[in-house]
Amino acid sequence: MMSAARTTAEPLKIGLLGAGNVGSQVARTLVEERELISSRVGAPIKLIGVAVRDVEAPRDWKIPGELLTTDAEALVDESDLIIELMGGLEPAGALVERALRAGTAVVTGNKALLAVQGGALSQAATESGALLRFEAAVGGAIPILRPIQESLSGDRITKVMGIVNGTTNYILDQMDSTGAAFYDALAEAQRLGYAEADPTADVEGHDAAAKAAILGALAFHAPFTIDDVYCEGITAVTSADIEAAAASGYVIKLLAIVEKNDDGAILRVHPTLLPRTHPLASVRGAFNAVFVVAENAGELMFYGQGAGGLPTSSAIMGDVVSVARRLHGGPDRPGAAGTDGDAQRVRGLPVDDARTQYYIDMVVADREGVIAEVARVLADHHVSIESMRQPGSVSIDGEVDTEAARERGAVVQIVTHLAKEKDLSDTVATLRALDVVRAVNSVLRVEVEQ
Amino acid sequence: MMSAARTTAEPLKIGLLGAGNVGSQVARTLVEERELISSRVGAPIKLIGVAVRDVEAPRDWKIPGELLTTDAEALVDESDLIIELMGGLEPAGALVERALRAGTAVVTGNKALLAVQGGALSQAATESGALLRFEAAVGGAIPILRPIQESLSGDRITKVMGIVNGTTNYILDQMDSTGAAFYDALAEAQRLGYAEADPTADVEGHDAAAKAAILGALAFHAPFTIDDVYCEGITAVTSADIEAAAASGYVIKLLAIVEKNDDGAILRVHPTLLPRTHPLASVRGAFNAVFVVAENAGELMFYGQGAGGLPTSSAIMGDVVSVARRLHGGPDRPGAAGTDGDAQRVRGLPVDDARTQYYIDMVVADREGVIAEVARVLADHHVSIESMRQPGSVSIDGEVDTEAARERGAVVQIVTHLAKEKDLSDTVATLRALDVVRAVNSVLRVEVEQ
C-alpha cells in the first residue's frame, strides 16, 4: 500500500512478479545493489519476495530461496511496489489491477498487457492514486516513454516513428548487408538468440504493433489499443526488394509509425523504405531507435539497446527508483550535490589522469632510422602505436630518394592506443624536442567505440 | 510559494524572468496555449508577469503590456513557479536563489549559472523542498538531463560524450564537407545566425564546458563546476587536420566528455577524432547529440535540435508542465486515457486515411505506350509520380528491341508522391488488373524526411 507517512527506518517493500531473463537480473540488482538503490532513492528499499510458477526452475541468477513464492496475490498485498515481469495477459493483468486498485505502485515492462489493457490500468491507477510506470515496455533500455510523457508535455507531438523490434531489424539488416534471403537471415537470428524458436510475434509485426499502441496512447493522450494498429510484418520482404531499394538509395526497416492529423491519429506497422540519409536508416543489428517529431522541439531521436536482460533491467530499475522516491516523499530528484551511494563523493580528476588515444601529425627528417627513433620515444613513455601512416609519395624509409624529398621531410601520422593523457602529453613534448622531428603539426584526441 | 493545499479554482501563478529569443517564445506559449498547458497540468495555470530590463525593447513576440515589469524581485515573490531565462550569472543567480529559498519552484535554461552555482542552488532547493528543473540547459530540445536523472537512476553511468554546441558543430561540419578554412566557416555560421558576433564562448569551448560540468554533476552525483572541466576549443583545428582525419576514416567533432574511473571523474572538452561509423559522427550541422554509456543500459544516444527559441521553449515548457503537475498534487503523469487538451479525445483512424508514399515494383509488357497507360492509372487516382526507374538493360520504350526482351517484359519501379493510402491501394489494384501489367512484385511504403 502507498503510504505518504512512511518513516525512513521502515524499508520500502518491493515484490517482484516473474523471474525470467529480465526478472532475475532485476532481482540480482535489488539484492546485490541494495545499498546503491537505497541511496539513489534516499531511503531504504527491500525485495520481500519473488513470485514464480515453479520454485525449482533454473534462472539466470540464483535468487535466495527464501524470497521465492508461488503465492503472487499474497506478495502483491504485502508490497508497497510491485514489479511485474511475468509477461502475457493473465495472470499478469489481474495481479497488476489488484495492486493498482489497492493503491500499490506498479512498474511493468509488459507491452502485450499494456497494448490491450493500458487505458483501463491507467484509469485504475488514477482512481486510487497509485503510480504506474512502464518505460521498459517500449525500446528496452532507451528512455522514450518518459520523454514523451514528461519532457514533451508542453509541446504537441505530431509523429513518432520507431524501430522497436530488434529481431526484425537484425533480419532486415542482415538481408541488406549480406544479401541473405529472409529465411536464412531468420535462421541466423535464431542461432544467435535474437529470434525465438517461434518468431511469429516478431516477424509478423505483432510485437511492434503492441509498442505502436503504447506510443500512440502516450503521444496523443488517447486510450489506443493494439486493435487500432494496422499491421504488416516482414515475411513478404524479398532479397530483390532490398536490392532494388538499395539501388535507389533506400533501406527497408520495419517501422512502428503513429501520427496525428486534424481528424485523428493513424497507428501502423509495416516494412518501410527510408532514404539512407535518414537518422533511422543507420540503426543496425538488434538496436532500436525512436524518432519523434513535435511542433516546437522539431525532430528528436532516441537510440539504444531495445532488448536483453541487462538493458531492460536498467529501464525497470529507473522506474523503480523514480517511483520509490515518490512513495517516500523524499527529494524529487537527486541534486547535483550528493554521493553516488556506492562510493565516497566522486571527486574530479585532472585531465592528466584521463585515458585516451592521441592522433599526432608531424614532419620528420626523411632518412633511415627516424621512425625507429620516434617509436622508441613512444615506447619509453608506455605508449603503443595503433596505426602509423605516411601520406603522399615520400615513403618513410626514403625509397623516393630525391634531394627535394629529403629537404621537405616526411609527414608521419600516428594514432596511439589508449594511454594516460600525461604519458601522451609527455611523449609529444619529447618528440618536439627531437632533432629529427621538424614540426608537430597537430595533436588531437581520438575516441573510438566503447 | 509552493502550496500542497492548492485548490483547483486558483490558477498556478507563473513568473517569467527574461524575454529574449526563448523567453518571448515561452511567454507566447503560456498566453496563447494557456488552455492546452492547463489541461496537460490538470489544473489552471496563469502567466502573471514577465520581468525585463527595458519595457520598450523589441521582442520576438509581442508580450501583452500589462505583463511586463522591471521589478523582478516582486515578481519572484508573487509567483508559485519562476521561469528564469535571463541568462548570465547576475542578477539571474540572486533571483533564482531568492525563489528557491522561499520554496518557489524554478525552471531555468541558464547553463552558465548552473555550471558555476548548480551545487549551491540544488542544495537550496533541497533545504526548502523547492523543485528545480533545467532540462533546456543542455542539448536544447533534447531530453537528456531527465533521462540521466531519472531513467538511469537505477544504473551506473560510466561515460557521457556529447556534441552540445551547435555553432562549433556547424563550423566543423562545413570544414569537413566543403573544405572551408576555420575562419571562412565561422563567417558563414555568423551570416546564417548560427554564431554570434563575438563567437568566443562557442569556439573556445566555454559553452560546451559549462554543459560538461552539468552533465558530470548529474551523471556522477557530484557538485562539479566549470572549473573542473579541461577545455580546448576549435580555433586551432585546420583544414589540413580535417583532411588528414578524413583520409584515415575519422571526422573531427568538439566533444564534451565526462567519464568515471575507480579514482574519480574526468570532465573535458576538446576537438576529437571519431571514426565515421560512430553514432556521433553523423550528427550534422547545428544539431546536438549526447551519447551515454551505462553499465546495464549499454550505449544510448539522444539527438535533436540543441538551440533556437522554439526547440528550447519545448524543453522549458516540458519542465513547467512537469513541475506544475507536482505543485498541484494532481496525477503524476497523464494516463493513456485522456484528451489532448486542445481538442476532443483523439480518435483512431483507419490506415486508409494515412498519407504516405508508395514504392511499386512491377513487370509490364515491353512495348510502346505502356508507361503512358500506367501513368494514366496513377493520375486517375490522384497519385503523382516522384520518380520512375527501369533497372537493367531493357529500356522503357523498347530501344533494345529484341524478341527475348519483349518476351521478358520490362521491370518498372515507381516512387509516388504523398497520397492517401486509399488512393494508393486502389491504384495498385487497378494496375494489377491492367492487361499490360504482368506482375506487381512489391508494394512498400516510403517515409522521407519530415
Side-chain angles (χ1 to χ4, degrees), chain B residues 7-9 34-45 321 324-325 328-331 334:
Chain B
T7 67
T8 45
R34 185 176 166 188
E35 274 189 52
L36 172 70
I37 301 302
S38 295
S39 138
R40 294 276 173 89
V41 170
I45 57 107
V321 170
R325 279 176 188 156
H328 258 289

Side-chain angles (χ1 to χ4, degrees), chain A residues 24-341:
Chain A
S24 59
Q25 182 56 46
V26 167
R28 174 185 203 136
T29 302
L30 287 169
V31 171
E32 294 189 345
E33 307 266 35
R34 186 177 166 188
E35 274 189 52
L36 172 70
I37 301 301
S38 296
S39 138
R40 295 277 173 87
V41 171
I45 58 105
K46 185 182 183 188
L47 178 63
I48 63 163
V50 182
V52 293
R53 251 188 312 214
D54 175 4
V55 175
E56 302 298 332
R59 334 214 170 269
D60 285 3
W61 182 69
K62 196 169 154 31
I63 297 168
E66 70 273 17
L67 289 179
L68 292 172
T69 174
T70 53
D71 190 346
E73 291 195 353
L75 181 60
V76 166
D77 295 345
E78 283 166 32
S79 300
D80 300 307
L81 192 169
I82 283 293
I83 305 171
E84 186 275 305
L85 293 170
M86 311 172 95
L89 295 185
E90 293 303 339
L95 291 165
V96 167
E97 196 179 336
R98 183 185 183 99
L100 293 174
R101 292 215 179 279
T104 302
V106 172
V107 171
T108 176
N110 191 334
K111 63 217 165 212
L113 176 64
L114 291 161
V116 174
Q117 298 177 34
L121 294 174
S122 291
Q123 191 62 37
T126 303
E127 284 166 17
S128 72
L131 299 168
L132 172 63
R133 293 280 191 284
F134 42 90
E135 181 63 73
V138 180
I142 310 170
I144 174 64
L145 302 186
R146 191 185 309 270
I148 287 177
Q149 288 182 290
E150 299 188 41
S151 307
L152 292 166
S153 59
D155 204 338
R156 280 193 187 87
I157 295 172
T158 52
K159 187 170 190 174
V160 180
M161 293 204 292
I163 294 172
V164 292
N165 180 275
T167 305
T168 48
N169 200 54
Y170 177 83
I171 291 171
L172 292 172
D173 191 25
Q174 281 294 107
M175 293 173 71
D176 183 60
S177 56
T178 70
F182 171 75
Y183 285 99
D184 294 334
L186 170 60
E188 175 74 0
Q190 286 171 321
R191 199 180 63 75
L192 292 170
Y194 292 150
E196 298 183 41
D198 176 359
T200 311
D202 292 318
V203 299
E204 296 294 356
H206 304 156
D207 174 78
K211 291 164 177 169
I214 297 170
L215 288 169
L218 298 184
F220 305 135
H221 309 274
F224 293 122
T225 72
I226 195 167
D227 292 336
D228 294 306
V229 183
Y230 170 82
C231 180
E232 250 177 61
I234 65 164
T235 52
V237 176
T238 64
S239 312
D241 289 335
I242 302 246
E243 205 177 308
S248 297
Y250 292 102
V251 61
I252 300 181
K253 297 287 188 188
L254 183 70
L255 295 188
I257 303 175
V258 305
E259 62 188 327
K260 203 170 74 162
N261 61 28
D262 293 341
D263 298 322
I266 297 158
L267 287 61
R268 52 197 167 105
V269 168
H270 51 68
T272 312
L273 268 70
L274 284 176
R276 285 192 185 256
T277 51
H278 194 283
L280 288 174
S282 56
V283 176
R284 307 291 301 271
F287 273 80
N288 278 199
V290 181
F291 190 77
V292 179
V293 186
E295 281 184 11
N296 292 344
E299 300 179 356
L300 300 169
M301 194 173 80
F302 304 80
Y303 167 92
Q305 293 188 62
L310 268 181
T312 308
S313 79
S314 173
I316 293 286
M317 289 307 304
D319 277 351
V320 167
V321 170
S322 151
V323 164
R325 279 177 189 157
R326 293 293 299 272
L327 293 182
H328 258 291
D332 158 66
R333 299 185 185 190
T339 70
D340 197 23

Side-chain angles (χ1 to χ4, degrees), chain A residues 33 40 133 149 155-156 159 221 241 265 273 314 326 332-333 338 342 347 349 442 445 447, chain B residues 33 40 133 149 155-156 159 221 241 265 273 303 314 326 332-333 338 342 347 349 442 445 447:
Chain A
E33 307 266 35
R40 295 277 173 87
R133 293 280 191 284
Q149 288 182 290
D155 204 338
R156 280 193 187 87
K159 187 170 190 174
H221 309 274
D241 289 335
L273 268 70
S314 173
R326 293 293 299 272
D332 158 66
R333 299 185 185 190
D342 54 339
R347 60 194 187 102
L349 301 174
S442 293
R445 294 173 190 82
E447 294 282 337
Chain B
E33 307 267 33
R40 294 276 173 89
R133 293 279 192 282
Q149 288 182 290
D155 204 339
R156 280 194 186 86
K159 188 170 189 174
H221 310 274
D241 290 335
L273 268 70
Y303 166 93
S314 174
R326 294 293 298 271
D332 158 66
R333 298 185 185 191
D342 54 339
R347 58 193 188 103
L349 301 175
S442 293
R445 292 172 190 83
E447 292 282 337

Side-chain angles (χ1 to χ4, degrees), chain B residues 173-240:
Chain B
D173 190 27
Q174 281 294 107
M175 291 173 72
D176 183 60
S177 57
T178 70
F182 171 76
Y183 285 100
D184 293 334
L186 171 59
E188 175 73 1
Q190 287 172 319
R191 200 181 61 76
L192 292 169
Y194 292 150
E196 298 184 41
D198 176 358
T200 311
D202 291 318
V203 299
E204 296 295 356
H206 305 155
D207 173 78
K211 291 164 178 171
I214 297 169
L215 288 169
L218 298 184
F220 306 135
H221 310 274
F224 294 122
T225 72
I226 194 167
D227 293 336
D228 295 305
V229 183
Y230 169 82
C231 180
E232 249 178 61
I234 65 165
T235 52
V237 177
T238 64
S239 312

Side-chain angles (χ1 to χ4, degrees), chain B residues 87-104:
Chain B
L89 295 185
E90 294 303 339
L95 291 165
V96 167
E97 195 179 337
R98 183 185 184 98
L100 293 175
R101 293 216 178 278
T104 302

